[in-house]
Amino acid sequence: MQVERLSWSELVPHIGIEEVNDELDKRTTRIFDDLRQVASVCNEDGTLIVRLKARKNEFILARDQYLRTVLHLAAGIGHTRLLKCLVHAGAPINVRDGIGQTALTISLHKNNDAASVFLIESGACVQEYYYENTVSPLAIAKLHKNDIVEFLEKRIGDEKRVLDHVSKFFPKKISGSPVDMNVDHVNHKENFSRALNINIGDQKNTVTVIGCANACPDIYGCHTPGTGDFHNRGYLNETVARIGGQGGFWHVVENVMKRPTVNPTSFKQKFKDNNYNNNEEALYDYEDGLSIAMIKEFEKSSFFPSKSDLASCLLKTGNHNNVLLSKFKEWQESSKGDAIFNYQVNLVNDLIPLSRWYKESIRNGNGHAIEAVWMLCPELYAQIGKTNYRDESLIHIVNFATKWPLAYRKLFQRNRTVNIEGIQGKQLADDEWVEDHLVYPVKKYAKGQTSFSVLEMMSCSSNLLELDRKMYKSREAFNIHRTRRHCTPPSLYDQLKVAQFASKEEWFVDKGHPVVYKYAWGENTLKGGEAVSSRSIDARTKGKEKLQLEFLSFLHRKFPNEMK
DNA sequence: TGTCACGGTGAGTCCACTGA
DNA sequence: TCAGTGGACTCACCGTGACA
């Protein structure tokens, strides 16, 4: 595509393709630089305004990839004279860029009182409702202790009096019924106002955001960390691998499946390189192998239904499912006294499927199923001593269950996943998408800023999410995980090898083992007969008990203002 | 039951690099 | 040139498990 030949209106529908974004930036910058040049050679404001007016048709269209106008750019570099003359020349004053910032909020962030006062006096909107997805002008002014706080408050008060007066003549009908949670009502913008910003990010983000929100509830109280499903899936995989590691997983991936890239370190560094995919694939292959071994042992056992039982079930129901399932459960119950059997069955029946459930819920955009997995995570994290993961997941649960149920309900409605192409089963976790398609543009947008100013400027605006969704609507943008083509044999061979190993080790044969024995891996040597750490045995039950004891202190630590 | 080793966490520090 | 960033590293603290 020859983007240079496209007009502004032709370019915008293609927003998101890198070269088009570059072209938008290039054109906007060129126009802005021209205007600065004009300003530098025009000493007299009146002349400058006349010359700017002559170029109005040109600059009025200019929006870069973040939807910034020349007025935003003038405010950004603190060019007060150009900003004033642009306004006099007819530049629209209340245009919001992709993250909801106006020239006024940028000037306030820059502590440029002269520009801020001028913009307010020229009609810049100061009311909070206009900045529903970002920090309002008054909050910014208070934060920076700008001299114009008083001026702003007076202005807001004056406008409010006018609005109140006008509203007497146009009374709004407000029903007296309690809040109705139906979709239409929740979707209605007025019921949300500026209730909550869910800042999607990683561990560091959680700590930072909740720290800011607790320290300055008046300003940052509307922010809460939204731990992403992509990250949490990594934590869950790590947890499951560690629970199953000593009892065989580490040994099997190293010596049976022979996957050198999967080990305790790869799970620790789960977001590096291709570790995420390798780890998860190994975990699933391990589970499949164990499942095959388990089924074969069941088949050999006395619990396996007889031919006549199978035939009778087939006659009644048209299939063998009922009798197979009930006998399978009986077989598992009868062998629960064997520590090894119990340990491996827990992994196959409970823990690894949790990760699969999570993955599929994300891919199919099932928000309720995702939340159900979240509810089961903290006890596992508590049990393996990952207090940071535990706190993160608890914060998430408290937020969606009690603190911000309405806002989180909104999230459920959008299935808390991103579906760019509309392909069934291909959704992305919000943070999975954020990492690749938001963090980078955010850094680009706010380069040269401090962490605090980035947080203030961006406020993780939902406007930006919507903007970016449009920006990356192209097919190539969807290709997030550039996985290498498999050059190793298909997983089935590995699964069969795992099954063979599990059968040889008699993991699913009730032999009354009192403990689960450790398997050697890596550099670790065993003295012989060493038992798996008790942390990994009955992890869920123990974790649940631990969590109950820790929960109150967690609430006081992470939600001090709510617990007062 | 007390002691010790170990591992995880989080605060703090250092330093190379970047961009204004 | 200098302020700010972010990764690598250190260290104190704490909880857990092994062992005497």
Side-chain angles (χ1 to χ4, degrees):
Chain A
M1 188 185 357
Q2 290 284 317
V3 290
E4 307 84 39
R5 293 186 184 169
L6 298 178
S7 68
W8 282 95
S9 54
E10 285 167 334
L11 271 174
V12 174
H14 295 290
I15 197 165
I17 299 170
E18 210 167 309
E19 54 182 324
V20 178
N21 281 338
D22 287 347
E23 178 65 16
L24 286 168
D25 287 353
K26 215 160 36 181
R27 287 189 192 187
T28 310
T29 310
R30 194 172 56 229
I31 291 169
F32 183 62
D33 288 345
D34 282 352
L35 299 179
R36 285 171 74 186
Q37 178 65 24
V38 172
S40 69
V41 296
C42 273
N43 296 326
E44 212 272 311
D45 284 357
T47 317
L48 176 57
I49 292 166
V50 171
R51 292 185 66 177
L52 290 177
K53 272 183 182 168
R55 288 169 167 252
K56 187 178 171 185
N57 288 342
E58 190 185 353
F59 73 71
I60 208 118
L61 286 173
R63 305 286 289 265
D64 69 7
Q65 61 167 311
Y66 305 105
L67 302 184
R68 289 178 293 198
T69 64
V70 289
L71 203 63
H72 287 102
L73 299 179
I77 62 163
H79 199 321
T80 311
R81 179 171 172 251
L82 179 59
L83 180 138
K84 286 181 177 178
C85 292
L86 278 168
V87 171
H88 285 304
I93 204 167
N94 280 317
V95 176
R96 285 177 290 201
D97 70 4
I99 64 161
Q101 299 285 349
T102 62
L104 172 61
T105 56
I106 293 173
S107 298
L108 287 166
H109 276 303
K110 297 276 175 187
N111 269 323
N112 188 344
D113 285 356
S116 304
V117 170
F118 168 79
L119 287 165
I120 294 166
E121 287 179 335
S122 306
C125 190
V126 291
Q127 299 296 334
E128 195 171 332
Y129 65 80
Y130 192 70
Y131 301 88
E132 62 172 323
N133 291 314
T134 185
V135 184
S136 70
L138 183 60
I140 300 168
K142 282 182 177 172
L143 183 70
H144 289 296
K145 299 188 172 59
N146 295 52
D147 292 337
I148 60 167
V149 172
E150 219 171 292
F151 174 70
L152 252 172
E153 282 175 335
K154 186 175 176 305
R155 181 84 180 192
I156 291 167
D158 289 347
E159 283 188 9
K160 196 169 179 308
R161 271 190 292 282
V162 174
L163 284 171
D164 288 346
H165 180 71
V166 172
S167 68
K168 282 179 195 163
F169 301 98
F170 302 97
K172 208 164 72 175
K173 285 181 184 170
I174 300 166
S175 78
S177 59
V179 175
D180 177 8
M181 292 293 286
N182 70 45
V183 173
D184 287 345
H185 187 90
V186 174
N187 267 337
H188 203 277
K189 222 172 180 179
E190 282 180 358
N191 293 314
F192 272 86
S193 67
R194 191 174 150 248
L196 179 65
N197 284 303
I198 301 167
N199 297 43
I200 304 294
D202 57 9
Q203 243 171 286
K204 212 165 183 178
N205 171 74
T206 306
V207 178
T208 309
V209 173
I210 203 149
C212 291
N214 287 335
C216 310
D218 292 345
I219 298 168
Y220 296 118
C222 63
H223 292 269
T224 192
T227 313
D229 295 299
F230 175 69
H231 285 83
N232 193 40
R233 218 170 93 201
Y235 305 159
L236 185 61
N237 287 346
E238 183 191 356
T239 304
V240 174
R242 285 180 52 172
I243 290 171
Q246 293 184 347
F249 179 64
W250 301 139
H251 178 83
V252 167
V253 287
E254 185 189 11
N255 301 299
V256 179
M257 293 201 267
K258 298 194 191 301
R259 298 190 190 180
T261 54
V262 181
N263 47 50
T265 311
S266 74
F267 274 91
K268 198 169 178 182
Q269 299 171 348
K270 50 201 160 294
F271 300 117
K272 263 191 183 173
D273 305 328
N274 213 23
N275 285 350
Y276 196 92
N277 294 328
N278 290 341
N279 291 345
E280 199 169 70
E281 198 175 328
L283 211 53
Y284 293 171
D285 286 345
Y286 184 65
E287 191 211 10
D288 288 340
L290 294 192
S291 301
I292 295 168
M294 187 162 72
I295 298 296
K296 294 308 284 180
E297 290 300 338
F298 170 55
E299 207 176 347
K300 280 194 267 175
S301 78
S302 60
F303 285 85
F304 195 78
S306 64
K307 280 186 179 171
S308 62
D309 287 344
L310 288 169
S312 137
C313 184
L314 183 64
L315 200 65
K316 275 188 205 161
T317 64
N319 58 49
H320 297 134
N321 295 353
N322 284 1
V323 66
L324 278 172
L325 194 61
S326 63
K327 288 289 179 185
F328 188 58
K329 281 182 184 169
E330 276 178 39
W331 173 67
Q332 288 194 345
E333 278 301 316
S334 75
S335 303
K336 280 208 160 170
D338 184 306
I340 296 178
F341 183 95
N342 211 19
Y343 173 81
Q344 302 295 3
V345 163
N346 266 345
L347 276 176
V348 181
N349 282 357
D350 185 16
L351 300 183
I352 305 178
L354 200 59
S355 170
R356 284 202 140 120
W357 182 15
Y358 204 178
K359 184 183 174 183
E360 291 310 312
S361 309
I362 292 167
R363 291 289 170 254
N364 290 289
N366 188 335
H368 291 87
I370 296 171
E371 295 311 329
V373 178
W374 273 97
M375 300 286 274
L376 297 169
C377 288
E379 57 206 41
L380 293 175
Y381 301 155
Q383 177 58 14
I384 65 155
K386 284 280 190 181
T387 52
N388 54 344
Y389 298 173
R390 177 204 62 191
D391 284 0
E392 259 183 79
S393 48
L394 283 176
I395 287 168
H396 177 83
I397 291 168
V398 169
N399 275 339
F400 85 70
T402 61
K403 195 178 172 191
W404 302 103
L406 201 62
Y408 271 79
R409 188 187 159 84
K410 184 78 181 167
L411 208 61
F412 295 154
Q413 282 168 2
R414 291 183 177 183
N415 286 328
R416 55 177 306 167
T417 53
V418 181
N419 189 355
I420 300 171
E421 284 285 271
I423 300 170
Q424 184 66 28
K426 289 255 180 169
Q427 272 95 319
L428 305 173
D430 39 18
D431 59 329
E432 189 176 3
W433 173 73
V434 163
E435 284 290 329
D436 271 32
H437 289 312
L438 200 54
V439 172
Y440 174 72
V442 161
K443 282 184 176 167
K444 204 174 158 200
Y445 176 95
K447 65 180 177 182
Q449 308 282 340
T450 66
S451 295
F452 278 115
S453 61
V454 169
L455 180 69
E456 288 160 13
M457 294 277 280
M458 309 301 295
S459 312
C460 281
S461 165
S462 60
N463 287 351
L464 185 61
L465 290 172
E466 289 299 326
L467 168 71
D468 232 42
R469 188 194 292 258
K470 285 178 204 148
M471 283 165 66
Y472 289 94
K473 217 170 178 179
S474 64
R475 179 167 286 277
E476 57 271 36
F478 189 71
N479 184 18
I480 280 185
H481 298 300
R482 289 162 286 275
T483 50
R484 282 171 299 159
R485 191 179 276 275
H486 280 272
C487 53
T488 48
S491 290
L492 179 64
Y493 300 114
D494 277 357
Q495 291 162 8
L496 291 175
K497 280 194 270 180
V498 174
Q500 208 169 25
F501 180 80
S503 298
K504 184 172 73 70
E505 296 293 306
E506 298 183 317
W507 282 352
F508 297 101
V509 181
D510 183 0
K511 296 223 156 186
H513 294 108
V515 293
V516 183
Y517 299 110
K518 250 190 208 177
Y519 283 82
W521 75 92
E523 304 290 308
N524 297 339
T525 48
L526 298 177
K527 295 169 200 161
E530 281 180 54
V532 165
S533 154
S534 65
R535 260 187 185 187
S536 306
I537 310 294
D538 275 337
R540 185 183 296 295
T541 319
K542 286 181 192 165
K544 202 178 277 183
E545 287 165 11
K546 199 172 287 182
L547 200 63
Q548 280 170 352
L549 295 173
E550 293 164 347
F551 189 59
L552 196 61
S553 69
F554 154 80
L555 286 177
H556 280 288
R557 227 169 347 100
K558 295 294 180 185
F559 296 94
N561 298 316
E562 287 75 13
M563 295 298 285
K564 269 178 195 162

Short mmCIF file of all heavy atoms in Angstrom, two decimals, chain A residues 55-100:
data_model
loop_
_atom_site.label_atom_id
_atom_site.label_comp_id
_atom_site.label_asym_id
_atom_site.label_seq_id
_atom_site.Cartn_x
_atom_site.Cartn_y
_atom_site.Cartn_z
N ARG A 55 -3.99 28.38 7.53
CA ARG A 55 -3.61 26.96 7.46
C ARG A 55 -4.59 26.07 8.24
O ARG A 55 -4.31 24.90 8.49
CB ARG A 55 -2.22 26.77 8.08
CG ARG A 55 -1.12 27.32 7.21
CD ARG A 55 0.20 27.35 7.99
NE ARG A 55 1.30 27.58 7.08
CZ ARG A 55 2.19 26.65 6.75
NH1 ARG A 55 2.08 25.43 7.23
NH2 ARG A 55 3.17 26.93 5.92
N LYS A 56 -5.72 26.68 8.63
CA LYS A 56 -6.64 25.95 9.50
C LYS A 56 -7.09 24.61 8.89
O LYS A 56 -7.11 23.58 9.58
CB LYS A 56 -7.87 26.82 9.80
CG LYS A 56 -8.79 26.20 10.83
CD LYS A 56 -9.96 27.10 11.13
CE LYS A 56 -10.97 26.38 11.99
NZ LYS A 56 -12.17 27.17 12.21
N ASN A 57 -7.42 24.64 7.61
CA ASN A 57 -7.90 23.40 6.98
C ASN A 57 -6.88 22.28 7.04
O ASN A 57 -7.22 21.11 7.02
CB ASN A 57 -8.28 23.66 5.52
CG ASN A 57 -9.56 24.46 5.44
OD1 ASN A 57 -10.31 24.53 6.41
ND2 ASN A 57 -9.79 25.11 4.30
N GLU A 58 -5.61 22.70 7.11
CA GLU A 58 -4.53 21.71 7.14
C GLU A 58 -4.37 21.13 8.56
O GLU A 58 -4.41 19.92 8.75
CB GLU A 58 -3.24 22.40 6.70
CG GLU A 58 -2.09 21.47 6.45
CD GLU A 58 -0.82 22.26 6.16
OE1 GLU A 58 -0.91 23.53 6.02
OE2 GLU A 58 0.22 21.65 6.07
N PHE A 59 -4.25 22.03 9.57
CA PHE A 59 -3.94 21.51 10.91
C PHE A 59 -5.15 20.92 11.64
O PHE A 59 -5.00 20.12 12.54
CB PHE A 59 -3.21 22.56 11.77
CG PHE A 59 -4.05 23.71 12.27
CD1 PHE A 59 -5.00 23.52 13.27
CD2 PHE A 59 -3.83 25.00 11.80
CE1 PHE A 59 -5.73 24.59 13.76
CE2 PHE A 59 -4.56 26.07 12.29
CZ PHE A 59 -5.52 25.87 13.27
N ILE A 60 -6.35 21.32 11.21
CA ILE A 60 -7.53 20.85 11.91
C ILE A 60 -7.73 19.34 11.73
O ILE A 60 -8.29 18.65 12.56
CB ILE A 60 -8.78 21.65 11.45
CG1 ILE A 60 -9.80 21.70 12.58
CG2 ILE A 60 -9.46 21.04 10.24
CD1 ILE A 60 -10.07 23.07 13.05
N LEU A 61 -7.20 18.79 10.62
CA LEU A 61 -7.35 17.35 10.34
C LEU A 61 -6.27 16.51 11.01
O LEU A 61 -6.41 15.31 11.16
CB LEU A 61 -7.27 17.10 8.83
CG LEU A 61 -8.46 17.49 7.99
CD1 LEU A 61 -8.13 17.35 6.52
CD2 LEU A 61 -9.65 16.61 8.33
N ALA A 62 -5.18 17.19 11.38
CA ALA A 62 -4.00 16.43 11.82
C ALA A 62 -4.23 15.71 13.15
O ALA A 62 -4.52 16.34 14.16
CB ALA A 62 -2.81 17.39 11.94
N ARG A 63 -4.14 14.40 13.13
CA ARG A 63 -4.19 13.58 14.36
C ARG A 63 -3.14 12.50 14.20
O ARG A 63 -3.13 11.79 13.19
CB ARG A 63 -5.56 12.89 14.51
CG ARG A 63 -6.78 13.79 14.47
CD ARG A 63 -6.94 14.60 15.74
NE ARG A 63 -7.35 13.82 16.89
CZ ARG A 63 -8.60 13.66 17.30
NH1 ARG A 63 -9.56 14.22 16.61
NH2 ARG A 63 -8.88 12.97 18.38
N ASP A 64 -2.26 12.36 15.18
CA ASP A 64 -1.28 11.29 15.06
C ASP A 64 -1.90 9.96 15.49
O ASP A 64 -3.11 9.88 15.70
CB ASP A 64 0.01 11.62 15.86
CG ASP A 64 -0.21 11.60 17.36
OD1 ASP A 64 -1.31 11.21 17.80
OD2 ASP A 64 0.71 11.97 18.10
N GLN A 65 -1.08 8.92 15.60
CA GLN A 65 -1.65 7.59 15.87
C GLN A 65 -2.31 7.52 17.24
O GLN A 65 -3.09 6.60 17.50
CB GLN A 65 -0.59 6.50 15.72
CG GLN A 65 0.57 6.61 16.68
CD GLN A 65 1.39 5.33 16.68
OE1 GLN A 65 0.85 4.24 16.81
NE2 GLN A 65 2.70 5.47 16.54
N TYR A 66 -1.99 8.44 18.12
CA TYR A 66 -2.64 8.47 19.44
C TYR A 66 -3.76 9.50 19.47
O TYR A 66 -4.23 9.89 20.53
CB TYR A 66 -1.62 8.77 20.53
CG TYR A 66 -0.47 7.80 20.51
CD1 TYR A 66 0.78 8.17 20.02
CD2 TYR A 66 -0.64 6.48 20.93
CE1 TYR A 66 1.82 7.27 19.96
CE2 TYR A 66 0.40 5.57 20.88
CZ TYR A 66 1.63 5.98 20.39
OH TYR A 66 2.65 5.07 20.33
N LEU A 67 -4.15 9.94 18.31
CA LEU A 67 -5.23 10.91 18.13
C LEU A 67 -4.93 12.26 18.75
O LEU A 67 -5.82 13.00 19.14
CB LEU A 67 -6.56 10.35 18.69
CG LEU A 67 -7.04 9.03 18.10
CD1 LEU A 67 -8.40 8.64 18.67
CD2 LEU A 67 -7.14 9.12 16.58
N ARG A 68 -3.65 12.58 18.85
CA ARG A 68 -3.27 13.90 19.37
C ARG A 68 -3.35 14.94 18.27
O ARG A 68 -2.91 14.68 17.14
CB ARG A 68 -1.85 13.87 19.95
CG ARG A 68 -1.76 13.10 21.24
CD ARG A 68 -0.35 13.05 21.75
NE ARG A 68 0.51 12.28 20.88
CZ ARG A 68 1.69 11.79 21.26
NH1 ARG A 68 2.14 12.01 22.47
NH2 ARG A 68 2.42 11.09 20.41
N THR A 69 -3.89 16.10 18.61
CA THR A 69 -3.95 17.20 17.66
C THR A 69 -2.73 18.09 17.84
O THR A 69 -1.94 17.88 18.77
CB THR A 69 -5.21 18.05 17.90
OG1 THR A 69 -5.07 18.65 19.20
CG2 THR A 69 -6.47 17.22 17.87
N VAL A 70 -2.62 19.10 16.98
CA VAL A 70 -1.48 20.02 17.14
C VAL A 70 -1.58 20.78 18.47
O VAL A 70 -0.56 21.16 19.05
CB VAL A 70 -1.40 21.02 15.95
CG1 VAL A 70 -0.95 20.32 14.70
CG2 VAL A 70 -2.71 21.73 15.73
N LEU A 71 -2.81 20.95 18.97
CA LEU A 71 -2.98 21.64 20.26
C LEU A 71 -2.40 20.79 21.40
O LEU A 71 -1.75 21.30 22.32
CB LEU A 71 -4.47 21.92 20.51
CG LEU A 71 -4.77 23.06 21.46
CD1 LEU A 71 -4.27 24.39 20.92
CD2 LEU A 71 -6.26 23.15 21.75
N HIS A 72 -2.65 19.47 21.34
CA HIS A 72 -2.05 18.56 22.33
C HIS A 72 -0.52 18.67 22.27
O HIS A 72 0.14 18.73 23.31
CB HIS A 72 -2.43 17.11 22.03
CG HIS A 72 -3.85 16.75 22.35
ND1 HIS A 72 -4.82 16.64 21.38
CD2 HIS A 72 -4.46 16.47 23.52
CE1 HIS A 72 -5.97 16.31 21.95
NE2 HIS A 72 -5.78 16.20 23.25
N LEU A 73 0.01 18.70 21.04
CA LEU A 73 1.46 18.73 20.90
C LEU A 73 2.04 20.04 21.44
O LEU A 73 3.07 20.05 22.10
CB LEU A 73 1.86 18.52 19.43
CG LEU A 73 1.42 17.18 18.82
CD1 LEU A 73 1.85 17.08 17.36
CD2 LEU A 73 1.99 16.00 19.60
N ALA A 74 1.32 21.15 21.16
CA ALA A 74 1.79 22.44 21.67
C ALA A 74 1.77 22.45 23.20
O ALA A 74 2.71 22.92 23.85
CB ALA A 74 0.90 23.56 21.13
N ALA A 75 0.70 21.86 23.77
CA ALA A 75 0.62 21.79 25.24
C ALA A 75 1.72 20.89 25.78
O ALA A 75 2.33 21.17 26.82
CB ALA A 75 -0.75 21.26 25.66
N GLY A 76 2.00 19.80 25.05
CA GLY A 76 3.00 18.82 25.49
C GLY A 76 4.40 19.42 25.59
O GLY A 76 5.15 19.08 26.48
N ILE A 77 4.73 20.30 24.65
CA ILE A 77 6.09 20.89 24.71
C ILE A 77 6.07 22.24 25.43
O ILE A 77 7.10 22.91 25.52
CB ILE A 77 6.73 21.05 23.30
CG1 ILE A 77 5.90 22.00 22.43
CG2 ILE A 77 6.89 19.70 22.62
CD1 ILE A 77 6.66 22.51 21.22
N GLY A 78 4.90 22.64 25.91
CA GLY A 78 4.81 23.88 26.68
C GLY A 78 4.97 25.14 25.83
O GLY A 78 5.46 26.16 26.31
N HIS A 79 4.58 25.07 24.56
CA HIS A 79 4.68 26.23 23.67
C HIS A 79 3.40 27.07 23.84
O HIS A 79 2.46 27.00 23.05
CB HIS A 79 4.84 25.74 22.22
CG HIS A 79 5.41 26.77 21.29
ND1 HIS A 79 5.06 28.10 21.34
CD2 HIS A 79 6.32 26.64 20.28
CE1 HIS A 79 5.72 28.76 20.40
NE2 HIS A 79 6.50 27.90 19.74
N THR A 80 3.38 27.90 24.89
CA THR A 80 2.16 28.59 25.28
C THR A 80 1.69 29.57 24.20
O THR A 80 0.50 29.68 23.92
CB THR A 80 2.39 29.36 26.60
OG1 THR A 80 2.99 28.45 27.51
CG2 THR A 80 1.10 29.85 27.20
N ARG A 81 2.63 30.26 23.60
CA ARG A 81 2.23 31.28 22.60
C ARG A 81 1.55 30.61 21.40
O ARG A 81 0.48 31.05 20.97
CB ARG A 81 3.48 32.05 22.14
CG ARG A 81 3.18 33.09 21.11
CD ARG A 81 4.37 34.00 20.83
NE ARG A 81 4.08 34.84 19.71
CZ ARG A 81 4.64 34.72 18.50
NH1 ARG A 81 5.57 33.79 18.30
NH2 ARG A 81 4.31 35.53 17.53
N LEU A 82 2.15 29.54 20.90
CA LEU A 82 1.55 28.83 19.76
C LEU A 82 0.19 28.27 20.15
O LEU A 82 -0.78 28.34 19.38
CB LEU A 82 2.49 27.71 19.29
CG LEU A 82 1.99 26.87 18.12
CD1 LEU A 82 1.72 27.72 16.88
CD2 LEU A 82 3.00 25.77 17.76
N LEU A 83 0.11 27.74 21.37
CA LEU A 83 -1.16 27.17 21.86
C LEU A 83 -2.26 28.24 21.85
O LEU A 83 -3.36 28.02 21.33
CB LEU A 83 -0.94 26.60 23.26
CG LEU A 83 -2.13 25.96 23.95
CD1 LEU A 83 -1.71 24.69 24.66
CD2 LEU A 83 -2.75 26.90 24.97
N LYS A 84 -1.92 29.42 22.39
CA LYS A 84 -2.92 30.50 22.45
C LYS A 84 -3.36 30.92 21.05
O LYS A 84 -4.55 31.07 20.77
CB LYS A 84 -2.34 31.72 23.19
CG LYS A 84 -2.23 31.53 24.69
CD LYS A 84 -1.66 32.80 25.32
CE LYS A 84 -1.61 32.67 26.83
NZ LYS A 84 -1.03 33.85 27.46
N CYS A 85 -2.37 31.07 20.16
CA CYS A 85 -2.70 31.54 18.80
C CYS A 85 -3.48 30.49 18.03
O CYS A 85 -4.35 30.83 17.22
CB CYS A 85 -1.42 31.94 18.06
SG CYS A 85 -0.68 33.42 18.77
N LEU A 86 -3.18 29.20 18.29
CA LEU A 86 -3.94 28.13 17.63
C LEU A 86 -5.41 28.19 18.05
O LEU A 86 -6.31 28.03 17.23
CB LEU A 86 -3.36 26.76 17.99
CG LEU A 86 -2.15 26.29 17.18
CD1 LEU A 86 -1.50 25.07 17.83
CD2 LEU A 86 -2.54 25.98 15.74
N VAL A 87 -5.63 28.43 19.35
CA VAL A 87 -7.01 28.52 19.84
C VAL A 87 -7.71 29.71 19.16
O VAL A 87 -8.84 29.58 18.67
CB VAL A 87 -7.04 28.66 21.37
CG1 VAL A 87 -8.45 28.99 21.86
CG2 VAL A 87 -6.54 27.38 22.03
N HIS A 88 -6.99 30.87 19.09
CA HIS A 88 -7.59 32.05 18.44
C HIS A 88 -7.84 31.78 16.95
O HIS A 88 -8.76 32.34 16.36
CB HIS A 88 -6.68 33.27 18.59
CG HIS A 88 -6.71 33.84 19.98
ND1 HIS A 88 -7.87 34.24 20.60
CD2 HIS A 88 -5.72 34.06 20.90
CE1 HIS A 88 -7.61 34.70 21.81
NE2 HIS A 88 -6.30 34.59 22.03
N ALA A 89 -7.02 30.90 16.38
CA ALA A 89 -7.17 30.61 14.94
C ALA A 89 -8.25 29.56 14.70
O ALA A 89 -8.50 29.20 13.56
CB ALA A 89 -5.84 30.13 14.37
N GLY A 90 -8.82 29.03 15.76
CA GLY A 90 -9.96 28.12 15.59
C GLY A 90 -9.70 26.66 15.90
O GLY A 90 -10.51 25.79 15.58
N ALA A 91 -8.55 26.34 16.55
CA ALA A 91 -8.29 24.95 16.92
C ALA A 91 -9.29 24.51 18.00
O ALA A 91 -9.46 25.23 18.98
CB ALA A 91 -6.87 24.81 17.44
N PRO A 92 -9.96 23.38 17.80
CA PRO A 92 -10.92 22.94 18.81
C PRO A 92 -10.24 22.65 20.15
O PRO A 92 -9.20 21.99 20.18
CB PRO A 92 -11.54 21.67 18.22
CG PRO A 92 -10.76 21.35 17.01
CD PRO A 92 -9.87 22.49 16.67
N ILE A 93 -10.83 23.16 21.21
CA ILE A 93 -10.13 23.20 22.49
C ILE A 93 -10.34 21.95 23.35
O ILE A 93 -9.49 21.58 24.15
CB ILE A 93 -10.58 24.48 23.24
CG1 ILE A 93 -9.54 24.92 24.23
CG2 ILE A 93 -11.92 24.30 23.89
CD1 ILE A 93 -9.78 26.32 24.74
N ASN A 94 -11.47 21.28 23.15
CA ASN A 94 -11.81 20.17 24.07
C ASN A 94 -11.63 18.79 23.44
O ASN A 94 -12.23 17.82 23.90
CB ASN A 94 -13.25 20.32 24.56
CG ASN A 94 -13.33 21.34 25.67
OD1 ASN A 94 -12.48 21.34 26.57
ND2 ASN A 94 -14.32 22.22 25.61
N VAL A 95 -10.80 18.70 22.43
CA VAL A 95 -10.61 17.40 21.78
C VAL A 95 -9.83 16.49 22.73
O VAL A 95 -8.83 16.91 23.32
CB VAL A 95 -9.82 17.56 20.46
CG1 VAL A 95 -9.53 16.20 19.85
CG2 VAL A 95 -10.62 18.40 19.50
N ARG A 96 -10.31 15.25 22.89
CA ARG A 96 -9.59 14.28 23.73
C ARG A 96 -8.75 13.38 22.82
O ARG A 96 -9.21 12.99 21.75
CB ARG A 96 -10.58 13.42 24.51
CG ARG A 96 -11.20 14.17 25.66
CD ARG A 96 -12.22 13.34 26.36
NE ARG A 96 -13.40 13.15 25.52
CZ ARG A 96 -14.59 12.82 26.01
NH1 ARG A 96 -14.75 12.65 27.30
NH2 ARG A 96 -15.61 12.63 25.20
N ASP A 97 -7.55 13.09 23.26
CA ASP A 97 -6.74 12.17 22.46
C ASP A 97 -7.14 10.73 22.81
O ASP A 97 -8.14 10.50 23.50
CB ASP A 97 -5.24 12.43 22.66
CG ASP A 97 -4.73 12.04 24.04
OD1 ASP A 97 -5.53 11.49 24.82
OD2 ASP A 97 -3.55 12.26 24.34
N GLY A 98 -6.36 9.79 22.33
CA GLY A 98 -6.74 8.38 22.49
C GLY A 98 -6.88 7.93 23.92
O GLY A 98 -7.55 6.92 24.19
N ILE A 99 -6.26 8.61 24.87
CA ILE A 99 -6.39 8.19 26.26
C ILE A 99 -7.21 9.18 27.07
O ILE A 99 -7.23 9.12 28.30
CB ILE A 99 -5.02 7.97 26.92
CG1 ILE A 99 -4.23 9.27 26.99
CG2 ILE A 99 -4.23 6.92 26.19
CD1 ILE A 99 -3.13 9.23 28.00
N GLY A 100 -7.89 10.07 26.39
CA GLY A 100 -8.80 10.96 27.10
C GLY A 100 -8.19 12.26 27.57
O GLY A 100 -8.83 13.04 28.27
#
